[in-house]
Amino acid sequence: MDIATLFDVRGKRALVTGGSGGIGYMIAEGLVRAGVEVWICSRKEADIKAAAEKLSALGTAHAIAADLSGEEGLQKVADELNAAGPLHILVNNAGATWGAKLDGFPRKGFEKVMNLNVTAPFELTKLLLPALRAAATAEDPARVINIASIDGLKVPRWESYPYSASKAGIIHLSRHMGKFLAAEDISVNVIAPGFFPSKMTAAVVDFDDAEAMDAVASPLGHRAGRPEDIAAGVIYLTSRAGAWLSGVVLPISGGMATLD
């Protein structure tokens, strides 16, 4: 029991989708600081290159501009990562949301969210199986982490129907995938974040407004999630400490999973 190396992920290689900002960037920064070689991808080329440049000041980071909502973007990312060699960590974080009243909810909005939040992680994981298999061992499985949301565990305050449905879906999909990938020494786990500062959450919560924060307060304090909160969860699940976990849902939400 070498406690000093229990959470050591140095030398591993990872892909974080949606890594140009928000939770994706927080995860990528935590992994880079921990000694992981990290690829980040996002739709906008300027944004992803700028994020990778910032991360490169801390360690080794690479940028891929790709739209994961379509087959071409998924294949582009898969081709680059499979060619690069073993992939120890895949973090499927890229996602979208859409809010509207039920009686006027557009079908295109529902389909867009379900596609990016459920279909894309499934397809990307499938396409990256060669690189994941190359990294997997019985003692140190390759790790897939799908980023869900606290809204996949409890009904949200907003009419964001496909978002909560997709996040509940990715939770069960992850458990299903984990059951069948375990035989190949690939684990699949889920993180369900609460409120972290991002473009997505800024649309519904003003993190600088005390009254607004009161309305979404978690049992563990009236604050948003911090980079170290989400990075710690990812490092736990991808280090030796998390080597015997699969099908786990980790709510990093200040205790919001305990609320109705």
Side-chain angles (χ1 to χ4, degrees), residues 29-114:
E29 180 182 352
L31 289 173
V32 168
R33 288 183 180 274
V36 176
E37 182 178 6
V38 176
W39 279 257
I40 56 172
C41 72
S42 186
R43 181 169 52 89
K44 295 181 179 179
E45 186 171 5
D47 290 349
I48 200 66
K49 285 186 174 180
E53 186 175 347
K54 287 171 59 180
L55 292 171
S56 293
L58 306 172
T60 305
H62 314 275
I64 309 174
D67 183 353
L68 299 183
S69 66
E71 291 183 12
E72 183 178 346
L74 290 164
Q75 193 64 56
K76 178 182 179 180
V77 173
D79 287 346
E80 182 162 339
L81 267 297
N82 284 325
L87 181 67
H88 304 87
I89 301 164
L90 168 60
V91 181
N92 287 308
N93 166 75
T97 189
W98 195 300
K101 294 292 185 182
L102 179 60
D103 56 1
F105 208 104
R107 183 185 181 100
K108 67 176 183 180
F110 202 98
E111 291 176 345
K112 174 185 176 180
V113 173
M114 294 299 290

Side-chain angles (χ1 to χ4, degrees), residues 23 27 92-97 113 117-118 121 145-158 160-172 174 189-196 198 200-201 204 230 248-254 256-258:
I23 284 177
I27 292 170
N92 287 308
N93 166 75
T97 189
V113 173
N117 293 6
V118 180
I145 299 178
N146 292 322
I147 304 300
S149 168
I150 197 67
D151 288 356
L153 297 174
K154 58 189 289 293
V155 177
R157 300 173 64 238
W158 302 276
S160 50
Y161 301 104
Y163 184 76
S164 59
S166 68
K167 294 306 184 179
I170 196 66
I171 288 171
H172 198 64
S174 300
N189 292 297
V190 182
I191 290 179
F195 287 101
F196 284 77
S198 69
M200 187 182 295
T201 54
V204 293
I230 197 77
V248 166
V249 181
L250 182 61
I252 302 180
S253 61
M256 291 186 72
T258 66

